[in-house]
Amino acid sequence: MTAYVSAFDLFSIGVGPSSSHTVGPMRAALDFARRLTASGALARVGRVEVALYGSLGATGIGHGTPDAVVAGLRGLTPETCDPAEVRAAWADLPAGAVIRIDGTHEVPFVKDDIVFAPRTRLPGHPNAMTITARDAAGDVVAEETYYSVGGGFIRRDGEEAKLATAGFPYSYADAASLLALCDENGLSIAEVARLNEASVRSEEEVAAGLDAIWDAMAGCVDAGLHAEGTLPGILKVKRRAGVIRGQLEAVEADGHRELPGEWLGAFALAVNEENAAGGRVVTAPTNGAAGILPAVAMYWWRFLADSGLGAGNAVTPYGELVGSALLGFESDVRTLESASGLDEEQTAEANRRRGIRRFLLTATALGSLFKANASISGAEGGCQAEVGSACAMAAGGLTAVMGGTNRQIENAAEIAMEHHLGLTCDPIGGLVQIPCIERNAIAASTAVTAARLALRGDGSHYVSLDAVVETMRQTGADMSTKYKETSEGGLAVNVIEC
């Protein structure tokens, strides 16, 4: 078994505001509904009950968990649903309502059919839920317990998590073995990830899938930059990304130079405001930390990719030749061979897309280490597991597209994670808003700083990425439950909800 998790599992297109509290429970409810259909038991169901335990019970309402459960029971999927169909699916449920299980079988459903049990923690994971289907007489037709283990991944009690980790040709257990694998085969970290993906999909499918992930990320950035108003929930948080965009555009229109660092923060705010509003978002590797990778990637795309620092140029920002930074998709090679008619803008676009694929694949290889050897779940490891992991992934991805070596990439990820150790998850009001939104902007800046520090060095450093991953795991295990997405400590209790 390898640590590697497919990019198409780690970066899944879904809805906000939480991968573990919204996307995961929605997938669990959908799985339960489909099992009822597949077993032939659906026609016997007269009622469905859901119990939300631990962190799901503590902050479920603020995270939209019961709405997601109702949407999943109806047969909606996070990847393809209209986010508007998920918002308030439970909160606005009228008296005497019925829902169609798996989109076909109607049963009565009231708000009290979802029970919150924050003080009950099941041993499998802090994010647990049990779904029970009963017949008209009240007898149990089917019952399943699910764990939402972070990043939208779910595990049914008694089964392993559904991850595509078997059968990859390039296996590694930790960062040390990943670097050794790269040395042995003369590969970059991104190329290891690409070859693993290409073992189960065609080159064209891998490239198209990565492009789709990036398009969804970029679309989320754009939507957030052009939105205004107030985010849902009791805090009445005002959106800021659009205001900042207007300010920056005004500065640029007056003939002043661009301000990449301020745009970086605006990109991150834009994504996390969209996430908080329940919009379309990509888990990266979670929703609570979804703004960091898109912000850093957009920063590279907009300000660095065409300035000699990108995927088509094999130099670091400081001028050293480090070898080819092209990713080498066969489909790209064929496209370039037949693309003599491409203009300069189209060629630049193709180069940027190759760079983004390299960014995402590098981030995937690194993110897999956090998921396998520590956690990406705030309910399990605190915010260090979400924002810290995302920051490390983004730092490594940026280092890769700026021409960094494998050891510089590993160093950048280590720097980024090291300085998030001990970060708690204490959302005010149980909403993915404060401190989550600003925290993504700060972490995006940290990722860029980590990449630049690593690129200034030769890749050698005292603390290894593996040591930091293990430290994060231990710190998460030692951290009090009240600091792990329960809103029972930290800012959540020391700031008055307005």
Side-chain angles (χ1 to χ4, degrees), residues 230-246:
T230 302
L231 296 174
I234 60 173
L235 302 180
K236 305 301 180 185
V237 173
K238 292 182 179 179
R239 287 180 178 259
R240 288 178 290 171
V243 174
I244 295 173
R245 173 191 58 79

Side-chain angles (χ1 to χ4, degrees), residues 386-441:
E386 296 199 33
V387 165
S389 298
C391 184
M393 293 162 66
L398 181 60
T399 303
V401 296
M402 292 176 77
T405 65
N406 289 332
R407 280 167 175 75
Q408 287 173 322
I409 292 168
E410 186 256 359
N411 188 14
E414 180 277 321
I415 293 170
M417 184 68 245
E418 180 181 342
H419 299 289
H420 281 91
L421 290 173
L423 189 62
T424 59
C425 183
D426 49 357
I428 297 175
L431 299 168
V432 192
Q433 298 180 15
I434 302 174
C436 320
I437 296 173
E438 286 182 353
R439 187 167 283 175
N440 275 251

Side-chain angles (χ1 to χ4, degrees), residues 47-375:
R47 186 185 185 91
V48 175
E49 301 167 345
V50 183
L52 302 176
Y53 301 113
S55 181
L56 292 183
T59 60
I61 292 180
H63 286 64
T65 305
D67 302 305
V69 169
V70 171
L73 289 172
R74 286 173 170 164
L76 300 182
T77 64
E79 296 84 356
T80 61
C81 73
D82 180 348
E85 294 186 76
V86 182
R87 300 186 197 112
W90 172 84
D92 290 348
L93 202 66
V98 297
I99 63 173
R100 289 186 176 182
I101 305 298
D102 204 18
T104 60
H105 179 65
E106 289 189 350
V107 299
F109 200 89
V110 297
K111 287 186 178 181
D112 288 344
D113 286 331
I114 296 183
V115 177
F116 301 87
R119 301 297 180 185
T120 302
R121 298 175 66 85
L122 302 191
H125 193 276
N127 292 330
M129 57 187 286
T130 297
I131 310 177
T132 305
R134 299 183 183 276
D135 61 20
D139 295 326
V140 174
V141 175
E143 184 173 84
E144 298 287 356
T145 294
Y146 294 88
Y147 304 107
S148 181
V149 297
F153 295 100
I154 61 170
R155 177 170 62 84
R156 192 164 63 99
D157 193 37
E159 290 184 346
E160 294 297 320
K162 297 178 180 179
L163 300 176
T165 57
F168 288 125
Y170 291 90
S171 298
Y172 58 90
D174 50 28
S177 58
L178 172 59
L179 291 175
L181 185 67
C182 291
D183 291 344
E184 180 183 348
N185 293 277
L187 298 170
S188 70
I189 291 174
E191 287 166 339
V192 166
R194 177 180 67 85
L195 292 170
N196 278 339
E197 299 294 347
S199 70
V200 294
R201 297 175 176 86
S202 69
E203 291 272 5
E204 288 82 1
E205 288 173 330
V206 175
L210 294 172
D211 288 349
I213 290 170
W214 169 242
D215 287 343
M217 287 181 170
C220 188
V221 171
D222 186 67
L225 287 175
H226 291 86
E228 55 186 31
T230 302
L231 296 174
I234 60 173
L235 302 180
K236 305 301 180 185
V237 173
K238 292 182 179 179
R239 287 180 178 259
R240 288 178 290 171
V243 174
I244 295 173
R245 173 191 58 79
Q247 294 170 345
L248 294 176
E249 289 177 345
V251 169
E252 294 169 358
D254 285 341
H256 298 283
R257 64 182 179 86
E258 291 181 321
L259 299 170
E262 296 200 38
W263 276 108
L264 173 67
F267 297 152
L269 292 179
V271 172
N272 284 88
E273 287 173 356
E274 277 297 289
N275 178 63
R280 177 69 66 208
V281 68
V282 180
T283 58
T286 66
N287 282 28
I292 301 165
L293 272 94
V296 174
M298 184 63 76
Y299 168 83
W300 173 82
W301 176 285
R302 178 162 174 175
F303 299 108
L304 301 178
D306 298 331
S307 61
L309 310 180
N313 299 276
V315 293
T316 72
Y318 313 108
E320 298 89 353
L321 186 65
V322 295
S324 174
L326 291 175
L327 193 52
F329 282 98
E330 290 299 324
S331 55
D332 284 336
V333 174
R334 290 194 294 272
T335 299
L336 290 173
E337 288 174 347
S338 61
S340 57
L342 291 181
D343 61 27
E344 185 176 345
E345 183 176 345
Q346 290 171 323
T347 300
E349 169 82 9
N351 282 334
R352 286 196 296 269
R353 283 204 173 266
R354 285 200 298 278
I356 288 296
R357 294 172 197 162
R358 185 180 185 88
F359 183 105
L360 292 175
L361 288 170
T362 303
T364 297
L366 296 171
S368 297
L369 296 172
F370 293 104
K371 178 156 184 58
N373 299 324
S375 177

Side-chain angles (χ1 to χ4, degrees), residues 12-23:
S12 61
I13 300 171
V15 296
S18 172
S19 52
S20 60
H21 285 59
T22 312
V23 177

